[in-house]
Amino acid sequence: MQRLDLRQLLQQKLSPQQIQFIKLLQIPTAELEMRIKEELEINPALEEGADQPEDQYNDSDSEEYGDNDDDYGKDDVDINDYLNDDEISGYKMQGDRGGEDEDDREMPIAVASSLTDQLMDQLGFLDLDDKQHIIGMQLIGSIDNDGYIRRDLSAIANDLAFSQNIETSEEEIEEVLHMIQTFDPAGIAARDLPECLLLQLHRRDQDETIILAERILEDAFDEFTKKHYQKIQSKFGVSEDELKKAIDIITKLNPKPGGAGAGMTRIQYIIPDFILTNNNGQLELSLNSRNAPDLRISRSYADMFDAYDKSDKKDKKLKETVTFVKQKLDAAKWFIDAIRQRQNTLLRTMESIIKYQHNFFLEGDESELRPMILKDIAEDIGMDISTVSRVANSKAVQTEFGIYPLKYFFSEGIATDSGEDASSREVKHILKEIIDGESKRKPLSDEKIEQILNEKGYNIARRTVAKYREQLNIPVARLRKEL
């Protein structure tokens, strides 16, 4: 049986302004520029330029809007002009501008040829019949970004049958595949790593060292990946010096040939959000100018709203138009306030980080980094941890020692014999120095590294050593061994 109940609930919801601020806070500087451009496009009440008092104009403003306020209000902008159109025109729509000035001309964009384009060009130089050419195109289209074909030839044959209506065998496909494997870059269209490396070795002048390297890849690849060099040495009956030469050749081959000729890799440049300078021991912080855009409310839209206040307010169409104007003005004000709040939050967060890591910013020494977590900064500036997290995860600071992401400065603490906490980043730095200085013929085990760190006063367990080593992308001792 259905029941009707009345319940009172308290729910916490974010206002549209808060949501807008959160979204603006978490985007980096490069994306902020795009976000501002989008807002300028959709909101004609928002425009670029420094805000000015309503009763003051510079010479350029007087030329644009008229010699005095009365002329501007009566002649340049009349709210009745907006009532003659069936629809209110969009901002920067086609036909709104008269002629194109020099800044509006299309600029040429440099386009690099992709890996697929390069391979297609080389395919055109082969003397193939129509069927082979289609098979070649299908194979090239199946190559991954790193240059491998990982699909089975039987699956490619099915694709040709269903999409191209071409019946073919795996032998015919493999014949065309071998032709493509002769293309540049060397090693392209391999089906696995050993084949990729062998394709590169086949192009070299065949001598004893190259032949030994090929035998290692063909018959002892598993031992090679695990660095069981003594097994390889006894298996092929070669000296340590001969094996070392062959290993050196293999390790210098390109395991990802597609990366060399892709031509389609996007280079991501880091744009710092903060600029930190050291002026005779005094740290000076400033926001990147791109984080502080000049935005203001459009004069024309503000005056349209003033004109409505002076009217009789009885015209229905006039009210609809002014409602639209008010929505755009409110949105513009919210956006400007959100940008200013973003600037304030960024500065407060970065100033707190500088206070915690003052010694590092003076000298750039990683050993000077103090343990610091999000909660420390949040409590210091009186904000929520989630707010600090949004700032730290997507922002960077430019210092005299390079550009660092803010999350670089956050780390947990490790207890020391002196009773103080050391930053986990400091421990990682020392761990890396220990491994860099080890004998490559007898690499240090995690247990031995643990003992060395304990002797240096860092109370750290072996599993923590293993965790930090993996975070530094350093392999285990056996895989660090060299001949």
Side-chain angles (χ1 to χ4, degrees), residues 274-291:
F274 308 93
I275 311 294
L276 186 65
T277 56
N278 187 343
N279 187 5
N280 296 324
Q282 186 70 28
L283 297 177
E284 298 178 354
L285 176 67
S286 61
L287 269 178
N288 188 323
S289 59
R290 299 185 182 185
N291 274 311

Side-chain angles (χ1 to χ4, degrees), residues 57-70:
Y57 302 94
N58 55 30
D59 293 339
S60 61
D61 286 332
S62 63
E63 291 177 4
E64 182 179 355
Y65 298 118
D67 294 335
N68 54 61
D69 292 346
D70 293 337

